[in-house]
Amino acid sequence: MNAPAPLIAGNWKMHGTDASLAEARAVGEGAWPDGVRVALCPPATLIERMARALAGSKVLVGGQDCHPEPQGAHTGDVSAEMLAEAGAQLVILGHSERRAAHGETDATVAAKVEAALRAGLEPIVCVGETLAEREGGQALDVVTRQVRLSLPDSVSTHPFTVAYEPVWAIGTGLTPSLADIEAVHRALRTALVDRFGETGARVAILYGGSVKPANAREILAVPEVGGALVGGASLKAADFLGIVAGASGA
């Protein structure tokens, strides 16, 4: 069975203005191994401009969140259909910052996954444990429960990606050991295969949490790590392309 195509996705979070598109263009002009997918997920205000700036390149453009409903009285929210119309092809859902700061539950994330599929977007569904949960020996239980409850049955017939981000490693400079990363990714793979069969075996499982050019190659070489969800290092083309260079094609 073919391994899933690696995906290196950059999450710009609440960073980026028109001037930042120069970095996106530099990524689009870069080179990376065959069989590797590369994506940038800017703030919603930049999606349309970034899609235009990257037209003709191999870089995919994604959103960072979407509302479960296609339209309505939801001030400040953006629907999956709006993201797609702006030029997005993917969307990050269930990021720990959304779960913590906005109270998103697994059920909320599952509803957003349904919305992404409805709009033709590929969801990148995030899971991850807190430091207290890891120290309490609950990491594997937490992430497998999150992936089980955050993925609706309907996702099995559509492209989707899972991203493991230990909450305590995001933006801190800390990373789990390679053995810990492998243990979580293997547990997630088992959960995906148990749920979706062969489809679950083909889903890329990304690692996220202080991924940098200096540690990307060794992390990306860990069994069952099928790419990376990159935060701060994706804001600079040179750093992001350095991480992309650490991936190997399918």
Side-chain angles (χ1 to χ4, degrees), residues 105-142:
T105 64
D106 293 328
T108 302
V109 177
K112 292 185 173 188
V113 172
E114 292 273 21
L117 301 179
R118 183 185 67 223
L121 299 175
E122 177 183 338
I124 301 173
V125 182
C126 301
V127 300
E129 83 283 4
T130 65
L131 183 59
E133 289 166 337
R134 170 157 287 278
E135 291 179 340
Q138 300 171 291
L140 299 185
D141 289 339
V142 168

Side-chain angles (χ1 to χ4, degrees), residues 94 98-99 102-112 149-150:
R98 299 287 313 177
R99 292 179 186 259
H102 297 269
E104 293 191 2
T105 64
D106 293 328
T108 302
V109 177
K112 292 185 173 188
L149 298 179
S150 299

Side-chain angles (χ1 to χ4, degrees), residues 26 98 119 146 149 177-178:
R98 299 287 313 177
Q146 286 178 334
L149 298 179
S177 70
L178 298 181

Side-chain angles (χ1 to χ4, degrees), residues 117 151-160 195-197 199-200 202-203:
L117 301 179
L151 294 173
D153 291 341
S154 57
V155 79
S156 65
T157 57
H158 298 268
F160 72 98
R195 175 81 179 279
F196 300 116
T199 296
R202 294 193 298 269
V203 174

Side-chain angles (χ1 to χ4, degrees), residues 27-71:
V27 172
E29 294 165 359
W32 51 80
D34 290 339
V36 176
R37 298 194 301 155
V38 175
L40 291 174
C41 301
T45 53
L46 278 183
I47 289 174
E48 184 172 7
R49 281 175 285 171
M50 183 176 286
R52 289 200 307 265
L54 292 173
S57 79
K58 296 184 294 182
V59 181
L60 305 169
V61 177
Q64 298 176 15
D65 182 49
C66 71
H67 194 278
E69 299 297 327
Q71 60 185 5

Side-chain angles (χ1 to χ4, degrees), residues 194-217:
D194 287 347
R195 175 81 179 279
F196 300 116
E198 290 190 7
T199 296
R202 294 193 298 269
V203 174
I205 306 174
L206 315 184
Y207 172 76
S210 296
V211 180
K212 304 177 286 290
N215 63 13
R217 191 172 297 276

